[in-house]
Amino acid sequence: MERADRASTRLRAASGAGGGGDDGDDLESLRKAVEYFATVKERTPSNGNLHMEAIEGIAFEKGLLPDAIEALLDVAMSGRLVDRFNTRLLKCLIPASVVPESAVTKAISWMCTRKPTIHIQVLFMRWLLTVFDLLNSKKELHSLYGIIFFYLQNDKLCPYMCRLLYLLTKKDNVKRFRVKKLIDLQSKMGIQTHLVALILLYKIHAPEYVSLVPLGKPKNFQVSGSLWKKAIDRIQNNGYRHLAEAPSLVNLTEPPVRKRKRKMHRELIPVVSSAPHVTQLSRSQMQNKTFPLEQLTTFSQLLQNFDWIEFPAQMGSVLRSPLLLHYINWVKDDSALLRLDLWLAQTLQEEFADCNGESMQKEEEFTEFLNIIIRAQECLQEGFSCCEDFVFKSLTLWDSSWCSSQILALLTRIPPSSDVIYLYFDPLKKLFFTSSVYFKCNVIESLTNLLVKWLTWHSVCVAEMDKEIPNVLQSPQNVTLSGLVNSISELVEFCARISIVALQMEAYNSLLLHFILNFYETVSDIYLKYNLPLVIMPPAGIFYPALLSLESVSLNQLCYVLYRYRTNLIALKSLDPSKNVHIGLQVNRKMFQQYNAFVKAAVSCLWTSRSFAHDIHPMGIGIEYNLLAQTRVPDSKSSFTIVNHPALMGHAINFIQQGKVWNWYVEYLYNQGLDGLKLFLEFSIHTSSSSQH
């Protein structure tokens, strides 16, 4: 009754200040409606429909301010009215600004009295999870952690309570008895995503309490809030939220007209801000509590207030602030990353689940949002698990015509695992073979970036292990070293298979061959550059097209790749064999034989004029002498030497036109920027002429 009187008083004051007209009439009708429901004693009030329509009309058009939400939520949760009215009241609680925490704590206290039905309790929890980021404070809500945890025993409320606890949990909340209760619930209910997510969060805060985690990673919580979310987004994005401190209970005035260009995109990412109770603190109080995030603008401020920074309630807002992303990187707060991952999962599901490239504006919003995620991942040097799920679901529907670079960029953050090829690259393979050569090049480039990220993670772990830094052998995905080696081998093998077919389909396109050889530049240097004793040779279906290429760039790349293979093999040959056995690797004779066969074929072509006679590879270019004679090509044996090779023909003609002596031709090629050719010839051909060069 006291809350109703306070709301009524504020409404009368606002009505008097608002003057006449429609706005004054709406204010008066709203005042009467709130006062009516706050004081009515009937369970089925006779004039309920009339007043309810007045509240719904204003709520869905302008939104309600804190006092109205507090009064109406108290009525709905008290159980005085029938569920038909309570449901309608909860559905029209659309905040125009913030949600008072006191209203939520009072509603939870009503739940303890068992007056609201289970249907109303579930509906209230759905509403609370939708407006959680709009709460003006969460201090009192944190104090109810134990009461909220108690409701996990209710099967219908359990998913929603898990989600709320997930958002509220701090290290101090993790107790041994709560872990035991969660495990008991899991054994009773089976593997549930909401329980798994909460157990995983508890394990991060207190690993000594949780020894085992259920198999499989938890997906995003399946808690729908679309009933209110669309209305909230529409009202707050239309500019009504700035009236949070207006004297009226409900906002009925149009937002001021601003002379600026209309925004094309919706504000999906919240603005970085502290809770109101933080921003209103005095400076002396602030030093003992938290630093307002609105004032965090420079890196020096971040360093000076490092111990007083608290993550915002709306975790998605950190995507707007590189400083907060740096802060996450430094403090290594896994719970913050989990909260951010949860927010991203919900946004991708609720905003872009139906995005298929048909709507231009939707695609622009989607592209902009994905670019923000990609930049955040690059800053954190870590991928989000929700993006893995999103890419997995998208690949089955994707036609490569929309958000191509963004999807492929997200693909480069997939962690190594035993099923990465089956889950992500096999669906991509169908699209790869039916798309343009440019898309094929983009896919090969993405595979190269993915391989580099896996190898970089391994090299960093090895470097930290040498410094005796603890916990360096476990990645965020808990991948073992042998598992990483298997994933890398599968990735290289997959790239080799699709590259061979793609080269045949695209008539050995030079651009495509360039990206494929870029991939093998990384593969050839796995040991010396990334400290992983592993050598995987390119297949003949890639080696020979590059050797006989019409482009000097491709031939030069191939020579450089062969040189790096040689350098790595020599280094591996001198490696202690026990280190290879430790991870199941061996530098065996077959590997050297394969390399020597490629070198022999390259030297025979470029230098000794025996290309067709000595190549015995099944996919090689060996041709019997009698067949070669029937071609009637003059001096056919020297067709692919450095003088006659089609890829170097332009250099040879230019050299002749300059009137130089042929003994200087090799030096001339070296001066044309063909460094790969130079390194290969100098280290692979042992003749007096080469030693002089």
Side-chain angles (χ1 to χ4, degrees), residues 313-333:
Q314 302 185 72
M315 201 60 196
S317 63
V318 302
L319 296 175
R320 289 181 176 269
S321 172
L323 294 175
L324 287 178
L325 290 175
H326 283 301
Y327 181 71
I328 291 178
N329 245 344
W330 180 258
V331 297
K332 300 297 181 183
D333 189 344

Side-chain angles (χ1 to χ4, degrees), residues 116-297:
T117 64
I118 189 63
H119 167 73
I120 296 300
Q121 293 182 42
V122 169
L123 193 61
F124 161 70
M125 288 303 303
R126 290 176 57 191
W127 174 81
L128 174 58
L129 293 172
T130 304
V131 303
F132 182 83
D133 288 338
L134 300 177
L135 291 175
N136 61 355
S137 173
K138 297 180 179 64
K139 184 177 180 181
E140 295 179 8
L141 197 58
H142 273 106
S143 65
L144 300 179
Y145 191 94
I147 296 175
I148 297 171
F149 191 90
F150 172 80
Y151 280 96
L152 293 179
Q153 301 176 79
N154 189 300
D155 292 344
K156 293 185 177 180
L157 291 174
C158 183
Y160 307 97
M161 292 301 180
C162 279
R163 167 76 188 286
L164 181 58
L165 292 172
Y166 190 96
L167 296 172
L168 293 175
T169 297
K170 296 182 179 180
K171 189 171 183 178
D172 296 341
N173 301 124
V174 181
K175 306 295 182 183
R176 192 182 299 274
F177 74 90
R178 287 176 179 152
V179 174
K180 184 177 183 302
K181 182 63 178 178
L182 286 176
I183 295 175
D184 291 343
L185 284 173
Q186 183 179 256
S187 61
K188 173 186 175 183
M189 303 171 64
I191 302 298
Q192 303 291 330
T193 56
H194 47 275
L195 288 174
V196 172
L198 192 56
I199 292 174
L200 179 60
L201 182 61
Y202 275 29
K203 182 176 177 63
I204 290 174
H205 285 304
E208 67 276 10
Y209 292 164
V210 186
S211 57
L212 297 175
V213 177
L215 295 177
K217 59 186 179 183
K219 309 296 182 183
N220 57 303
F221 290 92
Q222 300 298 321
V223 178
S224 173
S226 58
L227 185 65
W228 300 274
K229 184 173 177 58
K230 291 182 179 179
I232 294 174
D233 290 343
R234 174 177 53 80
I235 289 172
Q236 299 208 352
N237 288 333
N238 282 343
Y240 294 102
R241 189 175 181 179
H242 71 284
L243 298 174
E245 298 181 1
S248 61
L249 182 62
V250 181
N251 172 32
L252 292 171
T253 59
E254 292 293 333
V257 178
R258 299 181 182 180
K259 295 183 179 180
R260 60 185 178 90
K261 185 178 180 180
R262 180 179 177 268
K263 291 186 178 180
M264 178 180 295
H265 304 293
R266 294 170 294 161
E267 294 293 343
L268 294 176
I269 300 177
V271 178
V272 177
S273 62
S274 304
H277 74 282
V278 174
T279 58
Q280 294 171 3
L281 292 174
S282 65
R283 184 67 185 175
S284 59
Q285 291 174 319
M286 190 189 307
Q287 293 176 352
N288 296 327
K289 296 196 176 182
T290 57
F291 181 78
L293 297 177
E294 298 90 338
Q295 301 178 16
L296 185 62
T297 57

